[in-house]
Amino acid sequence: MASLNTLIAVCLIYVAFLFGVAFAAERAGIRGRAGWLLRSPLVYTLSLSIYCTAWTFYGAVGYAARSGLEYVTIYLGPSLVMIGWWWVLRRLVRIGRSHKVTSIADLISSRYGKSNTLAIVVTLMAVIGVTPYIALQLQSVTLSLSIFASAEGAATRIDSASSALWVAAGLALFTVLFGTRNLNANERHHGVVIAVAVEAVVKLVALLAVGIFVVWGVAGGLPQTLARIDASPIGTWQMQGSRWAALTVLSAAAFLCLPRMFQVMVVENDDERHLQIASWAFPLYLMLMSLFVVPIAVVGLDLLPPGSNPDLFVLSLPLSQGRDGLATLSFLGGFSSATSMVIVATLALSTMVSNHVVMPIWLTLRTGGATQSGDVRDVVIFARRVSILVIIALGYVYYRASGGSGALAAIGLISFAGVAQFLPVTLGGIFWRGATRMGALVGLGTGFGLWVYTMLLPGFGAGAILPAGVIDAGPWGISWLRPQALFGVEGLDPTVHAVLWSLALNSLSFVVVSLVTFPRPLERLQGAQFVNIFDHSGQARGWNASVAESEDLMIMAQRILGAAEAQSLFQSEARRQGLSGHLPEPTPKFVQGLERELAGSVGAATAHAMIGQIVGGTSVSVQDLMAVADESAQMLEYSSQLEAKSRELSQTAAQLREANEKLTELSLQKDAFLSQISHELRTPMTSIRAFSEILRDTEGLHPEEKTKYASIIHVETIRLTRLLDDLLDLSVLENGQVTLNRQSGALSDVLDHAITTAQASTDGRIAIRRSRGNEAVMLQTDLDRLSQVFINLITNAQKYCAADAPALTIDVARDGGAVVVDFIDNGSGIPAQARQVMFEKFSRLGLQDNKGAGLGLAICREIMHRLGGDVVYRTGTGGTAFRVILPQAQSLAAQ
Amino acid sequence: MPQPGTPLFLERRSYRVRRVMDAVRLLPVLGLALWMVPLLWPVADPLPPVQDGAATPVSMSAALTYIFGVWAGLIVLCLLLWSRARRIPPDTAPSGQG
């Protein structure tokens, strides 16, 4: 048998070890070393395990022994919350980080317009709600000590009251030492977190060790254990469905709202990515913690004498088997569970109490207000220490008052239901912009009142606080007000009844009052920021700080942050603003940032109030809100305008580039044309000169020779004239000076004329195919000009068609209202890059010949434009194809 | 309606990221549904069954296996999704809800 003294010695050594670890972590944190460990996802996940308190360690087995699998609901809820981190936790952590939230009370007060009233209400509710839980831890440690004592024999009976007192004192000492060392921004406590992580490992190892011992050491293996479970009193599924669902919801709610969970999950969070890792790692931890609960309970019920307290099977089972070492380990596990919970819970609560209750009162009492000199930090730290002592003392008093008798699970559920009242307000605050401060106050009040009336007071037992008559018949005999059968709903399980009514009416009144009240400007501002946390994490401006004196701000900041830190903060801001002195201009942005820094130490509401005293009240008005909205709307509009402009610019640039390319090409063509035209002019001129010189100078020419030379001169002159005519024609067309000679005639006649003319001028080697049936179209246009176009196209085909047996198909068709005439030859077509410029003046394809000046197509197009039609190149016909389009007005259907 | 500036369709990689995030979002719903299945199980009735052949209550070992099996399954799924999402560089990860 392990003697009680050995146990206490082991306990003390363990505590000393924890002190050492916490101290080392604190030192390493200050020096900035070991950051990889302090800020690792592993430590984050393990620190979340303060959810598993002594209630889990001892109570779960007792719970299972009494009501089967129901205990597991307490871990299913949090597992679901963690697995569903994306929905709620992600938002909470982001909000906590970007608004430097210090506690759940701070979150709620900050969301609802930095309302201090709300902060005080939440703080008081949290203290009342968590007190039973702290009492539960004291009770479990005391109970576990008494087991060892009773095992040792009656000689060393221990006084449960005094041992609880000692435990409480030790916990208070640890919390004061490590929880209030610094008034750091963001309230991060490396020492405490690392100690909690170590304790998390100890309790997991202890519970697993007992479980493995029971399954393989006592029961003799897994199949035997399962058989034993089925044969035990809890061997079948016996569960009220309502309890199963309600407890799962309740534990999920409590997991989000417990001040200590908020502390480790949100406030101590270093990196949002840790949350994703914890999303599977923490459910794993919970599963391992609850894995062996049922086997231990079943084997305990089997082996231990009837009447033993099932809450202590984890201890008494190894003791009864003579495994003192295992029992000691198990005791340390339970001790760890209890201590880590008490430490973090009191730390979280003391932060809330000092920030939201003590500081505002102190600020009001000191009429000098925030500008007064003197270090506030001492006050804050002192307030925290006192709060820690008071909270632990309250837990102790509750323990004594409740007689330390109730089953652990029942006490735990009371506490859970109390803090779960924060859930509607918290979720409403982060998802619904319409939630207002009045709604939150009424909702919290309703829920909390109902919880006290239906759960907390009856929990002390009939006659303790509420007279038995009230519980049985209702106050003043009004039966529908009975605490455990409200509105006449009877037959419900008391826990389900209390959770259902309190949460339902809480949510209802919160929503209804929010709907009918109108929020203050600051509430709307904060609401928008909390709900849209992922859209714009930046803080909107809140202060009109021109009236604030930097010096006043400096004095105040020094009192809260400490002289050195405040000075460096102000100096860096001054440098950023480009000022040489120590004091920056109090720009709204700076004041906002300063408020946030202060909020990290004393909470949002207090920081807001302190800044408000200097700057002169809250400066946010509806106009400011509108301005903020306007600003962002303007920015949005401006950026979309910019976008449109840049799109336009890039389009214009592309067009310019295209035009430039075209111009360059044209200029090249012009150069080529000039040399070509000089050549064209020069060749006939040369022969004209040469032959005219011969005619003039040579004596005795035969008349035939004279005639021959004169006709050469004549032909060359005609060629020159034609060239000049073309140029003149084009210039006239382009200048729009042409007068159209409108007449009516048949398309077929025009084509006939064109073909005859074209073939007359050359050798007419091209075969022309026509479809005369379609050509019966009457036209009302300048037929001579149209004929000119046709002649040009046919001549082109004759000149350039490279096929062995050149053929030209002339096809007439109707396209919509217009008549189209296609000239398709069986040549090689025109290369794509040439198509762009072939209708330009002086454009010639390649170097084929020197017969044309490259004006034909340009003239054709000009004529067709004048006639209101067009001529285009057709692709996809296999040869070169032009389409002449005659608009409707000019084509009259032949009768 | 998509906001201006955000593409309507995504390339394969970003598409995958968004679907992984969808799975992350739906996982707790699946967990809740599976863990509420015990509500449908027959409960040992204190009164004798009215008719023969009434459903026999589920044994504790079966209940344990079911609940812890679901638990382990959810943890494994969550782990897989996490490692899946982690392999994708954060700059391509969508910031919005997508």
Side-chain angles (χ1 to χ4, degrees):
Chain A
M1 277 286 142
S3 80
L4 199 56
N5 290 334
T6 327
L7 195 68
I8 289 170
V10 168
C11 223
L12 287 178
I13 292 169
Y14 177 69
V15 169
F17 166 70
L18 279 186
F19 268 79
V21 167
F23 187 65
E26 201 72 39
R27 289 276 297 264
I30 289 169
R31 292 184 190 167
R33 282 187 321 196
W36 60 271
L37 182 65
L38 295 177
R39 280 185 282 279
S40 76
L42 179 71
V43 167
Y44 180 68
T45 308
L46 286 177
S47 69
L48 290 185
S49 74
I50 54 153
Y51 181 74
C52 303
T53 62
W55 179 23
T56 301
F57 200 84
Y58 297 120
V61 173
Y63 203 161
R66 291 186 187 98
S67 21
L69 258 182
E70 191 179 293
Y71 82 94
V72 90
T73 54
I74 304 299
Y75 310 99
L76 298 188
S79 295
L80 285 176
V81 171
M82 281 313 289
I83 289 170
W85 62 275
W86 196 91
W87 292 102
V88 177
L89 288 181
R90 187 179 67 119
R91 275 173 176 272
L92 275 183
V93 168
R94 174 66 69 86
I95 290 169
R97 288 168 63 81
S98 70
H99 290 260
K100 299 212 169 178
V101 166
T102 58
S103 63
I104 178 115
D106 198 24
L107 177 92
I108 293 175
S109 102
S110 182
R111 160 63 181 83
Y112 296 100
K114 303 185 182 178
S115 149
N116 208 40
T117 322
L118 204 48
I120 291 175
V121 168
V122 174
T123 303
L124 291 181
M125 283 171 61
V127 170
I128 297 172
V130 173
T131 301
Y133 218 143
I134 293 175
L136 186 152
Q137 312 302 319
L138 296 177
Q139 177 181 341
S140 68
V141 173
T142 319
L143 272 178
S144 61
L145 273 175
S146 70
I147 276 281
F148 277 90
S150 65
E152 199 163 79
T156 49
R157 270 197 52 81
I158 59 165
D159 176 11
S160 64
S162 71
S163 66
L165 189 61
W166 278 111
V167 172
L171 289 174
L173 180 70
F174 187 93
T175 317
V176 167
L177 271 181
F178 289 99
T180 60
R181 279 170 72 87
N182 50 4
L183 196 60
N184 217 338
N186 294 5
E187 293 298 329
R188 298 218 169 108
H189 308 89
H190 292 308
V192 171
V193 168
I194 212 86
V196 165
V198 170
E199 291 190 305
V201 176
V202 171
K203 62 196 182 198
L204 181 63
V205 167
L207 200 58
L208 286 180
V210 175
I212 289 167
F213 166 72
V214 166
V215 170
W216 282 277
V218 180
L222 204 54
Q224 290 87 336
T225 314
L226 288 179
R228 212 159 169 161
I229 287 172
D230 285 344
S232 72
I234 55 169
T236 51
W237 177 255
Q238 293 169 315
M239 174 70 57
Q240 291 177 33
S242 61
R243 265 182 87 87
W244 179 262
L247 291 182
T248 307
V249 172
L250 181 62
S251 65
F255 183 70
L256 283 169
C257 297
L258 277 169
R260 67 172 195 278
M261 289 318 297
F262 193 88
Q263 175 82 25
V264 289
M265 202 152 54
V266 177
V267 181
E268 309 272 359
N269 178 288
D270 263 319
D271 188 337
E272 286 174 32
R273 278 171 301 176
H274 292 175
L275 194 60
Q276 297 184 38
I277 295 174
S279 73
W280 54 266
F282 186 61
L284 181 66
Y285 186 95
L286 287 179
M287 190 185 82
L288 291 177
M289 282 299 277
S290 37
L291 193 55
F292 290 113
V293 167
V294 171
I296 295 173
V298 166
V299 172
L301 284 174
D302 222 13
L303 294 184
L304 294 176
S308 351
N309 186 351
D311 281 334
L312 294 171
F313 279 175
V314 181
L315 276 180
S316 46
L317 207 54
L319 273 181
S320 72
Q321 303 293 314
R323 303 286 178 146
D324 286 358
L326 190 60
T328 312
L329 178 64
S330 166
F331 174 79
L332 278 186
F335 185 72
S336 293
S337 320
T339 51
S340 53
M341 179 271 161
V342 173
I343 290 166
V344 181
T346 45
L347 200 59
L349 287 177
S350 73
T351 307
M352 282 156 68
V353 170
S354 77
N355 283 356
H356 304 307
V357 181
V358 178
M359 282 303 292
I361 293 174
W362 188 82
L363 277 177
T364 324
L365 290 182
R366 302 282 292 258
T367 44
T371 48
Q372 207 174 346
S373 65
D375 203 333
V376 180
R377 293 192 301 162
D378 290 343
V379 180
V380 177
I381 289 185
F382 181 72
R384 273 185 206 181
R385 289 183 175 156
V386 172
S387 321
I388 288 171
L389 295 178
V390 168
I391 290 161
I392 294 187
L394 272 179
Y396 179 73
V397 168
Y398 184 98
Y399 165 68
R400 294 300 304 274
S402 67
S405 56
L408 297 179
I411 305 179
L413 283 182
I414 292 177
S415 188
F416 268 30
V419 292
Q421 304 305 325
F422 300 147
L423 188 72
V425 172
T426 310
L427 289 189
I430 62 176
F431 285 110
W432 183 36
R433 279 178 64 176
T436 68
R437 190 178 69 101
M438 274 317 291
L441 275 173
V442 173
L444 283 176
T446 310
F448 196 70
L450 281 171
W451 170 73
V452 169
Y453 183 62
T454 59
M455 208 166 181
L456 183 69
L457 297 184
F460 285 103
I465 294 179
L466 283 182
V470 172
I471 293 182
D472 290 338
W476 307 288
I478 305 171
S479 67
W480 57 271
L481 280 182
R482 274 173 293 163
Q484 295 185 334
L486 274 185
F487 309 112
V489 178
E490 287 182 58
L492 270 182
D493 176 83
T495 309
V496 176
H497 171 267
V499 169
L500 195 68
W501 280 120
S502 62
L503 276 182
L505 293 182
N506 179 344
S507 312
L508 183 72
S509 53
F510 165 57
V511 170
V512 168
V513 175
S514 289
L515 287 177
V516 299
T517 50
F518 194 80
R520 295 177 307 175
L522 192 58
E523 282 176 65
R524 296 175 73 182
L525 195 64
Q526 291 290 94
Q529 285 193 9
F530 273 52
V531 173
N532 303 331
I533 186 77
F534 290 102
D535 295 342
H536 46 81
S537 292
Q539 179 92 321
R541 58 168 189 219
W543 295 108
N544 177 15
S546 56
V547 289
E549 292 295 332
S550 290
E551 207 165 334
D552 292 343
L553 289 174
M554 175 78 165
I555 292 168
M556 181 191 62
Q558 278 184 356
R559 291 165 62 204
I560 293 174
L561 302 173
E565 202 167 317
Q567 277 163 13
S568 76
L569 182 75
F570 275 66
Q571 263 177 22
S572 69
E573 174 65 16
R575 264 201 303 282
R576 214 183 51 75
Q577 293 182 357
L579 302 175
S580 56
H582 294 303
L583 290 176
E585 284 296 315
T587 58
K589 198 175 159 218
F590 172 63
V591 178
Q592 199 72 51
L594 184 65
E595 184 191 332
R596 224 178 255 211
E597 280 300 320
L598 298 182
S601 292
V602 292
T606 308
H608 191 72
M610 292 181 84
I611 299 252
Q613 283 192 353
I614 291 177
V615 177
T618 49
S619 64
V620 181
S621 61
V622 176
Q623 279 73 23
D624 283 338
L625 281 182
M626 302 301 280
V628 171
D630 269 1
E631 235 169 56
S632 46
Q634 275 171 11
M635 300 241 300
L636 213 66
E637 197 179 326
Y638 184 60
S639 79
S640 72
Q641 273 176 6
L642 274 183
E643 236 168 66
K645 273 196 181 130
S646 93
R647 234 190 339 264
E648 206 178 298
L649 274 181
S650 65
Q651 275 171 3
T652 315
Q655 283 168 355
L656 279 177
R657 244 193 319 276
E658 214 169 277
N660 187 32
E661 270 165 28
K662 210 164 157 184
L663 279 178
T664 318
E665 201 163 330
L666 277 179
S667 141
L668 287 176
Q669 279 178 5
K670 211 166 238 173
D671 288 347
F673 170 75
L674 277 179
S675 69
Q676 180 69 31
I677 204 95
S678 345
H679 183 71
E680 294 273 339
L681 288 173
R682 195 178 167 77
T683 319
M685 285 310 253
T686 315
S687 49
I688 289 169
R689 205 176 90 191
F691 286 110
S692 57
E693 275 170 3
I694 293 172
L695 282 177
R696 188 188 67 193
D697 300 338
T698 316
E699 299 293 331
L701 278 174
H702 290 294
E704 304 93 68
E705 281 176 319
K706 275 188 187 168
T707 315
K708 184 185 168 194
Y709 295 151
S711 57
I712 290 175
I713 293 171
H714 182 243
V715 167
E716 292 298 333
T717 324
I718 288 171
R719 193 166 145 193
L720 270 178
T721 316
R722 199 174 61 227
L723 183 66
L724 293 173
D725 276 351
D726 277 357
L727 278 173
L728 195 64
D729 200 11
L730 189 63
S731 132
V732 166
L733 280 167
E734 280 190 336
N735 291 334
Q737 292 162 346
V738 69
T739 45
L740 296 175
N741 177 21
R742 285 188 185 278
Q743 15 176 195
S744 45
L747 178 60
S748 57
D749 293 346
V750 181
L751 280 171
D752 286 345
H753 174 246
I755 291 166
T756 317
T757 316
Q759 287 186 328
S761 64
T762 55
D763 52 5
R765 65 191 178 93
I766 196 162
I768 293 181
R769 298 187 201 116
R770 293 173 61 180
S771 49
R772 289 193 175 270
N774 296 337
E775 287 172 11
V777 176
M778 291 300 289
L779 297 174
Q780 169 79 39
T781 184
D782 188 332
L783 298 177
D784 293 338
R785 286 292 187 182
L786 189 58
S787 165
Q788 193 185 344
V789 172
F790 291 163
I791 293 168
N792 214 315
L793 292 176
I794 298 166
T795 318
N796 273 353
Q798 284 173 336
K799 281 187 203 164
Y800 303 122
C801 183
D804 293 332
L808 178 69
T809 309
I810 299 174
D811 206 8
V812 180
R814 286 187 169 275
D815 182 16
V819 173
V820 293
V821 188
D822 288 336
F823 294 84
I824 306 164
D825 71 13
N826 55 351
S828 54
I830 292 176
Q833 73 269 20
R835 287 176 203 156
Q836 276 189 13
V837 288
M838 68 185 178
F839 284 108
E840 303 294 338
K841 281 180 290 189
F842 319 126
S843 148
R844 302 179 46 156
L845 300 178
L847 300 164
Q848 304 123 327
D849 66 292
N850 53 9
K851 285 179 195 161
L855 293 172
L857 281 176
I859 291 172
C860 286
R861 193 173 63 166
E862 281 303 326
I863 290 173
M864 288 317 297
H865 282 176
R866 292 290 150 217
L867 296 182
D870 203 359
V871 53
V872 293
Y873 184 76
R874 253 188 88 190
T875 52
T877 56
T880 311
F882 289 95
R883 164 167 288 190
V884 177
I885 303 165
L886 300 165
Q888 193 173 20
Q890 295 172 355
S891 61
L892 302 169
Q895 301 308 314
Chain B
M1 198 184 118
Q3 292 177 350
T6 53
L8 188 56
F9 299 105
L10 300 162
E11 49 114 8
R12 198 181 183 83
R13 213 175 157 74
S14 329
Y15 181 86
R16 217 15 75 213
V17 178
R18 295 209 178 173
R19 297 298 81 81
V20 168
M21 289 319 291
D22 285 350
V24 166
R25 270 172 261 179
L26 289 177
L27 200 57
V29 180
L30 175 74
L32 186 66
L34 289 177
W35 271 333
M36 287 303 133
V37 165
L39 293 180
L40 307 172
W41 289 347
V43 180
D45 204 332
L47 299 171
V50 180
Q51 62 195 55
D52 284 342
T56 50
V58 175
S59 76
M60 185 56 113
S61 60
L64 265 181
T65 318
Y66 175 77
I67 289 189
F68 281 87
V70 170
W71 212 331
L74 286 176
I75 291 167
V76 169
L77 274 179
C78 198
L79 175 62
L80 286 179
L81 287 176
W82 166 75
S83 67
R84 184 84 204 238
R86 199 176 54 139
R87 266 184 276 138
I88 295 156
D91 55 342
T92 60
S95 55
Q97 309 208 342

